[in-house]
Amino acid sequence: MSMDAQSVSEKLRSSGLLRTQGLIGGKWLDSYDNKTIKVNNPATGEIIADVACMGTKETNDAIASSYEAFTSWSRLTAGERSKVLRRWYDLLIAHKEELGQLITLEQGKPLKEAIGEVAYGASFIEYYAEEAKRVYGDIIPPNLSDRRLLVLKQPVGVVGAITPWNFPLAMITRKVGPALASGCTVVVKPSELTPLTALAAAELALQAGVPPGALNVVMGNAPEIGDALLTSPQVRKITFTGSTAVGKKLMAAAAPTVKKVSLELGGNAPSIVFDDADLDVAVKGTLAAKFRNSGQTCVCANRVLVQDGIYDKFAEAFSEAVQKLEVGDGFRDGTTQGPLINDAAVQKVETFVQDAVSKGAKIIIGGKRHSLGMTFYEPTVIRDVSDNMIMSKEEIFGPVAPLIRFKTEEDAIRIANDTIAGLAAYIFTNSVQRSWRVFEALEYGLVGVNEGLISTEVAPFGGVKQSGLGREGSKYGMDEYLEIKYVCLGDMNRH
Ligand code: ADP
């Protein structure tokens, strides 16, 4: 049943899940100078809420409360922390409809996709509730007979987590899940564009028994909050998902206090379709990889590389599939493509498309703003795109699929790797030998073979080159929040 945004936000308000204050030391607080920022629904432009606009002072208090909470939270047994996380997971799932509605309201993605994000986001909390109990150390065979050598893994301490707007829940849970599981405490700064989902998730964390200070949420003045987190010697780790430009700034600013840093930055994902691919599988996989969240994910296919022999057939079948995508308000039944996050995002897409067309690319379908107005953009396929066009170098972050022609497997690998980014890549081929050759040669952190949707909490997610540092999800994700301590016991031969 289609719903309207107005009645959804009224219902959410009365459910107690639409919170507007920050969370510091277990208390919901306004900003100290009572400043607020507005949160908009990108599909309608309507203001959903005024939320606290916080800065340096509030962040310093959040850090202090996290630092204090670390002593007790880190000393709980893994089993005790696990139970709290499991309760949080259960509450996130119990409220998945409301959380999904919040995501659609503030981010725009279709409700079904938003509820999918809640299940995906919650899965990190469940996974790390389980993984908490598996942080094993080591006993090392000693180098001298009177010694015993041990390795302990211990939580790094207070973590600052800075997250973007495209996955308002999942980008938080994949950081906070392993952080809390390992015994760290966290100050989260969600995007100012989508703070409401973060605040609702934090409310459910309190209900689950996450103690005051173990999880704080501050939002508002991003540079001030970032500076406070980065300059504090009490914050031992920064974990960030967002643009490459901001990620580099944060990495540099983490240097004076030598913080541990995890970065998940921009991508420029190739989807490579070989002549020997199954056409239907390649169309379905590339469609999913390109148009999820209207193209606004860092693993979205940014360049579709298609081999000579299948190029025309693929272009036709893919365009037909794109034609069937339904653009509209995320609350309307049947919508598969919501709006872009804001007008700047649409202007960027327009610039990229103009640039490509001026250099000889041809639009097959789409290529302009949608008649619905606002920030809706038509799902677009462009052919004859080449490497001198901006869209083959930079992240489009919108519903535009550029088709690039290649001749040989070597060409495909060279073009695919010719970028500073290295997050996700997709290949479509029916040859097992080719798929091994190509995925081994691709300079990427994630590769999908005959599949366009590959993210899961049980597998490591992260990039190489300038796409970032570290991995999120899976058993590897836990290491990002742990320090290794070596202990040498001497004089062990004495009776
Ligand atoms: P996006 O393109 O996803 O908006 P950004 O890198 O601009 O990418 O934003 C990702 C997150 O980083 C957001 O929470 C944003 O508020 C935050 N951010 C942006 N600039 C800074 C900064 N100077 N210091 C700390 N956080 C920042």
Side-chain angles (χ1 to χ4, degrees):
M1 200 181 69
S2 295
M3 305 183 218
D4 77 281
Q6 197 62 40
S7 64
V8 167
S9 62
E10 272 158 29
K11 266 219 324 260
L12 286 168
R13 222 172 284 276
S14 57
S15 76
L17 278 182
L18 205 153
R19 307 214 67 108
T20 56
Q21 294 167 301
L23 179 65
I24 300 174
K27 295 201 178 74
W28 293 105
L29 297 175
D30 290 323
S31 67
Y32 297 166
D33 58 7
N34 288 313
K35 268 213 298 215
T36 58
I37 35 168
K38 295 187 188 318
V39 182
N40 289 294
N41 174 346
T44 61
E46 279 161 4
I47 293 160
I48 312 163
D50 280 306
V51 301
C53 180
M54 298 177 150
T56 310
K57 286 194 184 129
E58 294 88 344
T59 309
N60 285 338
D61 287 350
I63 294 167
S65 81
S66 245
Y67 191 72
E68 200 188 319
F70 178 72
T71 311
S72 46
W73 180 250
S74 61
R75 283 187 193 153
L76 291 181
T77 65
E80 286 165 330
R81 287 196 298 270
S82 173
K83 284 198 183 77
V84 174
L85 285 173
R86 177 71 209 192
R87 278 199 296 272
W88 189 18
Y89 166 76
D90 289 339
L91 285 168
L92 290 167
I93 293 298
H95 292 279
K96 74 172 191 257
E97 302 282 334
E98 289 120 301
L99 291 166
Q101 289 165 4
L102 266 179
I103 292 174
T104 299
L105 262 186
E106 64 179 347
Q107 199 273 332
K109 69 179 68 170
L111 185 58
K112 196 167 151 222
E113 201 176 324
I115 293 172
E117 181 187 335
V118 179
Y120 174 58
S123 73
F124 288 94
I125 304 301
E126 181 189 42
Y127 182 87
Y128 285 104
E130 295 156 353
E131 205 60 12
K133 299 180 206 164
R134 295 189 246 290
V135 179
Y136 302 118
D138 261 322
I139 308 282
I140 298 176
N143 57 331
L144 294 171
S145 65
D146 71 338
R147 292 188 171 188
R148 296 296 178 268
L149 314 182
L150 332 173
V151 172
L152 315 182
K153 289 188 180 172
Q154 295 182 307
V156 295
V158 175
V159 173
I162 301 177
T163 59
W165 49 264
N166 60 344
F167 290 91
L169 182 69
M171 294 305 111
I172 293 175
T173 52
R174 57 155 78 177
K175 295 172 169 52
V176 174
L180 290 180
S182 62
C184 297
T185 53
V186 195
V187 178
V188 175
K189 193 207 86 61
S191 166
E192 285 60 44
L193 301 173
T194 58
L196 301 174
T197 309
L199 297 170
E203 163 63 29
L204 295 175
L206 289 184
Q207 289 178 22
V210 171
L215 175 64
N216 300 277
V217 183
V218 290
M219 65 264 147
N221 184 328
E224 268 193 34
I225 295 169
D227 282 353
L229 289 171
L230 284 152
T231 52
S232 167
Q234 292 183 332
V235 175
R236 294 307 320 137
K237 175 175 176 94
I238 290 289
T239 171
F240 170 78
T241 299
S243 62
T244 309
V246 172
K248 287 177 181 177
K249 267 199 233 167
L250 300 184
M251 190 176 174
T257 48
V258 195
K259 295 188 202 315
K260 234 172 140 71
V261 178
S262 296
L263 302 171
E264 205 267 274
L265 311 176
N268 181 2
S271 178
I272 311 174
V273 181
F274 289 99
D275 284 347
D276 61 10
D278 179 306
L279 185 64
D280 290 343
V281 171
V283 167
K284 188 167 163 266
T286 304
L287 192 76
K290 174 69 246 183
F291 289 97
R292 179 179 181 208
N293 200 9
S294 299
Q296 302 173 108
T297 88
C298 44
V299 292
C300 274
N302 202 56
R303 298 170 290 160
V304 185
L305 312 185
V306 192
Q307 201 163 12
D308 236 2
I310 199 173
Y311 191 91
D312 291 323
K313 262 195 292 184
F314 179 85
E316 194 187 328
F318 185 65
S319 303
E320 260 173 39
V322 172
Q323 191 86 56
K324 292 192 189 120
L325 295 173
E326 278 198 43
V327 179
D329 190 306
F331 286 112
R332 193 183 62 91
D333 258 357
T335 293
T336 58
Q337 296 287 288
L340 299 197
I341 190 68
N342 55 26
D343 207 63
V346 185
Q347 283 174 29
K348 176 179 166 187
V349 170
E350 286 179 321
T351 309
F352 283 25
V353 170
Q354 274 156 19
D355 169 77
V357 170
S358 75
K359 292 172 181 162
K362 293 182 194 67
I363 292 169
I364 306 179
I365 54 167
K368 56 182 190 305
R369 285 181 189 249
H370 194 275
S371 55
L372 281 172
M374 296 301 302
T375 54
F376 291 97
Y377 195 87
E378 291 185 357
T380 297
V381 183
I382 306 188
R383 59 180 290 153
D384 303 335
V385 171
S386 54
D387 60 7
N388 63 338
M389 300 172 188
I390 305 174
M391 63 173 64
S392 58
K393 295 193 185 73
E394 288 178 32
E395 219 173 5
I396 303 165
F397 238 64
V400 176
L403 307 189
I404 299 169
R405 191 188 290 265
F406 70 90
K407 285 206 166 65
T408 65
E409 188 181 301
E410 292 69 33
D411 286 343
I413 293 167
R414 182 183 44 75
I415 299 167
N417 286 341
D418 184 21
T419 167
I420 57 162
L423 188 55
Y426 308 90
I427 58 181
F428 295 90
T429 172
N430 274 336
S431 158
V432 176
Q433 292 82 356
R434 166 171 273 161
S435 68
W436 275 82
R437 275 197 306 273
V438 177
F439 73 62
E440 284 181 353
L442 287 172
E443 295 162 359
Y444 285 84
L446 331 166
V447 182
V449 180
N450 294 323
E451 179 55 60
L453 295 176
I454 61 173
S455 299
T456 157
E457 78 283 7
V458 300
F461 185 106
V464 303
K465 299 203 279 192
Q466 293 181 32
S467 281
L469 292 175
R471 294 294 179 269
E472 295 191 312
S474 80
K475 63 176 181 176
Y476 306 102
M478 199 72 154
D479 293 338
E480 305 286 327
Y481 298 89
L482 294 167
E483 293 283 13
I484 285 177
K485 181 179 283 171
Y486 155 56
V487 181
C488 173
L489 305 177
D491 192 23
M492 292 294 282
N493 287 342
R494 186 149 46 96
H495 286 277

